[in-house]
Amino acid sequence: MASIYPEGSSPQNPEPWFEYVAVIRCEGNSPDDPDRVHCEWAAFYCERTQPDSSGPYSIIYRRLADSSGPLGGWTNVGPTCFRTDVPARSGEAAAELTDAMILDQFHRTDFALPTISIEPPDGRTLVNLPVYYELLWPDSGFEPGETDTTDIIGHEVRIRPTLDSVTYHFGDGASAGPTASLGGPYPHGDIRHEYTSAAQVAPHITVVYGGEVSVDGSSWSLIPGTATVDGPASPLDVLTSTSRLYDD
């Protein structure tokens, strides 16, 4: 495809040229948004019919363009299970998946925001009373061990977050971590803090994510980078207690 030029063009006179795009054959995708929808049918079709391909099943489109921009609309060229072989334009080789692309996608991951569970509950505690903290993962976002699957220039890229470290911020200037501990409830949780004066504080958790990647079903390998994510604050009132004497 890269060697095909419009009539009147050639490697020596390369303008105008053909632009190409491979659109995953799932309802909702188009040449202007080729990877928005990933459906099982497109992946399984290529796995069944061409198991040595990178998939997913896609339709190749092309349009005429020059240095001023597109000169016409997209035309259907035909189907493919080898999206990685589709060039960007006439005369150019197909794009290669790079570590920089994978790292960029890793930082685009919708990471789960770490939420904080506090005991005593109900947002209130007493001065000099041990407070127990625990990290909880919400339903939304990708937590450690879950897999985010996407498509990068025709490659199926799976990113699996890992837990690098956790830091607990207690809201009074003190913190615990970085640590691997997820804390826990009373009485066995190992992340504890005592407040020495009455105050209104807003503890929160910071998580540093690492990651692993698998490309086109390959074994998992480490991503050379981390992402730091702050969870939401949880307001906490630190109160003093008053002792009173009563006559019987």
Side-chain angles (χ1 to χ4, degrees), residues 33 66 68 74 85 104 147 155 172 206 210:
D33 196 0
D66 63 13
S68 66
W74 293 102
D85 294 338
D104 179 68
T147 302
H155 294 277
D172 62 350
T206 297

Side-chain angles (χ1 to χ4, degrees), residues 56-216:
Y57 188 55
S58 302
I59 303 298
I60 303 170
Y61 290 84
R62 76 181 182 193
R63 67 183 176 186
L64 195 64
D66 63 13
S67 56
S68 66
L71 300 176
W74 293 102
T75 301
N76 184 329
V77 177
T80 185
C81 281
F82 295 87
R83 300 187 73 214
T84 54
D85 294 338
V86 178
R89 54 178 276 186
S90 299
E92 292 188 354
E96 293 186 6
L97 183 64
T98 65
D99 290 341
M101 293 178 184
I102 292 173
L103 185 60
D104 179 68
Q105 185 63 39
F106 168 69
H107 285 291
R108 295 173 184 268
T109 301
D110 180 21
F111 295 108
L113 300 181
T115 60
I116 191 168
S117 174
I118 301 174
E119 289 191 11
D122 303 323
R124 304 177 73 187
T125 189
L126 295 175
V127 169
N128 298 325
L129 179 71
V131 180
Y132 289 75
Y133 294 89
E134 182 179 9
L135 187 158
L136 300 177
W137 300 111
D139 292 334
S140 59
F142 294 92
E143 66 183 75
E146 295 184 340
T147 302
D148 182 18
T149 302
T150 189
D151 182 277
I152 305 177
I153 59 169
H155 294 277
E156 181 191 66
V157 177
R158 294 185 296 157
I159 290 176
R160 185 168 64 186
T162 60
L163 183 61
D164 187 279
S165 67
V166 184
T167 300
Y168 297 82
H169 306 277
F170 301 124
D172 62 350
S175 62
T179 176
S181 174
L182 300 183
Y186 172 86
H188 302 299
D190 62 344
I191 303 297
R192 301 183 291 271
H193 182 64
E194 295 182 14
Y195 296 91
T196 59
S197 59
Q200 288 183 323
V201 295
H204 74 280
I205 295 175
T206 297
V207 163
V208 177
Y209 280 101
E212 298 173 318
V213 63
S214 169
V215 177
D216 296 329

Side-chain angles (χ1 to χ4, degrees), residues 210-236:
E212 298 173 318
V213 63
S214 169
V215 177
D216 296 329
S218 66
S219 59
W220 294 97
S221 60
L222 290 177
I223 295 174
T226 59
T228 301
V229 176
D230 289 320
S234 295
L236 178 66

Side-chain angles (χ1 to χ4, degrees), residues 4 15 18 22 29 35 47 66 72 142 171 174 176 206 209:
I4 300 175
E15 194 166 349
F18 284 127
N29 293 331
D35 303 328
E47 288 180 7
D66 63 13
F142 294 92
T206 297
Y209 280 101

